[in-house]
């Protein structure tokens, strides 16, 4: 089945004036937010935008053997960047205002990156990076289950407002995984005069929100311009609450968790290959996750998150790759740290896992 690489082969020679911006373009630009644009694209709002083909030239000079994304971000992202930047369709896009911030582990966790793409018609596509290989990024993701806004959400809304103050065209926003959540949050919580300019906010298999967020007047004002894509057996996109219907698309991978990989998403012409609804596996994921989370209050979610990442960080690991590459040493340290937890904390962790198992059985 065809994917976004095939899309670039088939339609990469079509300009945006010949073939308008579409949902597949959204995914490509969202995934290009994982590229390290430092020293390539200005980090200042009023910096000079850089043509995407020139970005590629500078990138290959900075990363002559390719960028190491770790075990989380697909390695094909570099190839996607190269193929897109060399295509007639994407080479004339300009990139501007690249921000990349990650906390050092102290205080509230933060893993945030954003970039603005300027299209030939002077509209902009703001792309928010999803979760990368860092443990601090994963800790921030878990915080979504019990708090809103997280730091990345606040920065996302501020970023869109800043871009809107400089660029006057239509605004589209998108991201994959956590980046999708950030795009929707930002679209909802920018000032009203900015929100009016937003055409679409795309969430590509991004987690949802705590229920109260969807009930706010700010979210309701943008709800009809939010488009959420999930693969047919989605796991990540089933987390927390979404408003309205998500658009289900085909993935060539059977395992639901691995369907999060956007390079497995099937493409037909200028669109994804859509399905009528979630697969049976996808429906089970949705039911299990909803049942599980409903049994845990915010404080229980917070305690579990702090315990889990306290144990993982005890290994000295900073990334998921660190944990997997030093697998045997990491496992030993994790087990020792867990064994040293006080009895009440250990029981809380076991109770958390027990409730997940009960939800699956139900």
């Amino acid at each position: 089945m065809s994917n976004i690489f095939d899309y670039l082969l088939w339609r990469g020679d079509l300009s945006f004036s010949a073939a308008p911006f579409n949902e597949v373009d959204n995914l490509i630009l969202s995934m290009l937010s994982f590229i390290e644009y430092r020293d390539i694209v200005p980090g200042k709002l009023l910096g000079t935008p850089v043509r995407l083909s020139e970005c590629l030239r500078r990138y290959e000079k900075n990363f002559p053997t390719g960028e190491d994304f770790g075990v989380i971000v697909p390695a094909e992202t570099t190839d996607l960047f190269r193929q897109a930047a060399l295509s007639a369709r994407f080479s004339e896009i300009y990139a501007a205002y690249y921000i990349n911030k990650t906390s050092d582990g102290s205080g509230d966790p933060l893993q945030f990156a954003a970039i603005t793409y300027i299209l030939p018609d002077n509209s902009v596509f703001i792309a928010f990076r999803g979760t990368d290989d860092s443990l601090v990024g994963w800790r921030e993701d878990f915080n979504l289950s019990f708090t809103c806004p997280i730091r990345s959400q606040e920065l996302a809304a501020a970023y869109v407002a800043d871009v809107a103050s400089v660029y006057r065209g239509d605004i589209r926003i998108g991201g994959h995984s956590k980046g999708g959540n950030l795009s929707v949050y930002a679209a909802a919580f920018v000032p009203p005069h900015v929100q009016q300019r937003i055409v679409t906010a795309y969430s590509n298999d991004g987690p949802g929100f705590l229920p109260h967020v969807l009930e706010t007047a700010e979210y309701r004002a943008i709800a009809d311009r939010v488009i959420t894509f999930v693969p047919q057996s989605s796991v990540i996109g089933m987390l927390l609450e979404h408003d309205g219907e998500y658009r289900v698309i085909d993935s060539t991978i059977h395992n639901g968790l691995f369907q999060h990989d956007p390079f497995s998403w099937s493409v037909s012409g200028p669109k994804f290959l859509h399905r009528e609804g979630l697969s049976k596996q996808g429906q089970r994921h949705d039911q299990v996750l909803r049942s599980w989370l409903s049994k845990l209050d915010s404080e229980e979610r917070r305690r579990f998150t702090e315990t889990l990442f306290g144990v993982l960080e005890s290994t000295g690991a900073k990334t998921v790759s660190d944990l997997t590459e030093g697998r045997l040493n990491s496992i030993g340290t994790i087990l020792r740290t867990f064994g040293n937890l006080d009895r009440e904390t250990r029981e809380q962790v076991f109770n958390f896992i027990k409730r997940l198992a009960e939800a699956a059985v139900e």
Side-chain angles (χ1 to χ4, degrees), residues 202-327:
Y202 295 97
S203 177
N204 300 290
D205 205 30
F209 298 89
L210 296 172
H212 75 270
V213 177
L214 305 181
E215 298 169 359
T216 62
E218 291 87 348
Y219 178 82
R220 300 312 310 166
I222 196 69
D224 62 346
R225 285 170 279 169
V226 172
I227 297 179
T228 300
F229 295 112
V230 297
Q232 72 266 25
S233 298
S234 172
V235 175
I236 304 299
M238 295 295 101
L239 293 169
L240 303 177
E241 298 293 327
H242 293 279
D243 178 63
E245 295 184 1
Y246 23 72
R247 302 186 184 185
V248 181
I249 56 180
D250 181 80
S251 169
T252 56
I253 296 176
H254 176 71
N255 184 293
L257 186 59
F258 292 109
Q259 287 185 2
H260 193 55
D261 179 355
F263 294 99
S264 76
W265 297 2
S266 301
V267 173
S268 178
K271 296 182 178 181
F272 298 118
L273 181 59
H274 290 252
R275 294 213 172 191
E276 292 185 2
L278 294 171
S279 67
K280 291 183 178 180
Q281 184 185 57
Q283 293 172 30
R284 286 196 297 272
H285 293 158
D286 188 22
Q287 293 164 358
V288 168
L289 291 170
R290 287 177 184 275
S291 175
W292 177 40
L293 290 174
S294 69
K295 296 177 180 179
L296 301 165
D297 61 32
S298 295
E299 180 59 22
E300 288 176 306
R301 299 176 192 183
R302 183 191 64 78
R303 288 200 302 265
F304 177 78
T305 298
E306 290 182 353
T307 301
L308 172 63
F309 284 92
V311 169
L312 295 179
E313 290 162 359
S314 70
T315 66
K318 300 296 183 182
T319 66
V320 178
S321 294
D322 290 342
L323 290 172
T324 57
E325 290 167 0
R327 185 172 181 272

Side-chain angles (χ1 to χ4, degrees), residues 124-167:
V124 297
F125 185 93
I126 296 171
F128 292 115
R129 182 178 295 173
T131 309
D132 62 14
D133 199 40
S134 65
L135 284 182
V136 70
W138 283 90
R139 180 190 277 267
E140 190 181 36
D141 285 355
F142 273 64
N143 283 5
L144 285 170
S145 70
F146 59 84
T147 189
C148 184
I150 58 172
R151 290 177 67 189
S152 283
Q153 289 172 330
E154 293 176 323
L155 288 179
Y159 181 93
V160 173
D162 286 344
V163 170
S165 71
V166 173
Y167 298 99

Side-chain angles (χ1 to χ4, degrees), residues 69-80:
F69 294 102
V71 299
I72 298 300
V73 180
E76 298 98 319
T77 302
T78 296
D79 295 330
L80 180 70

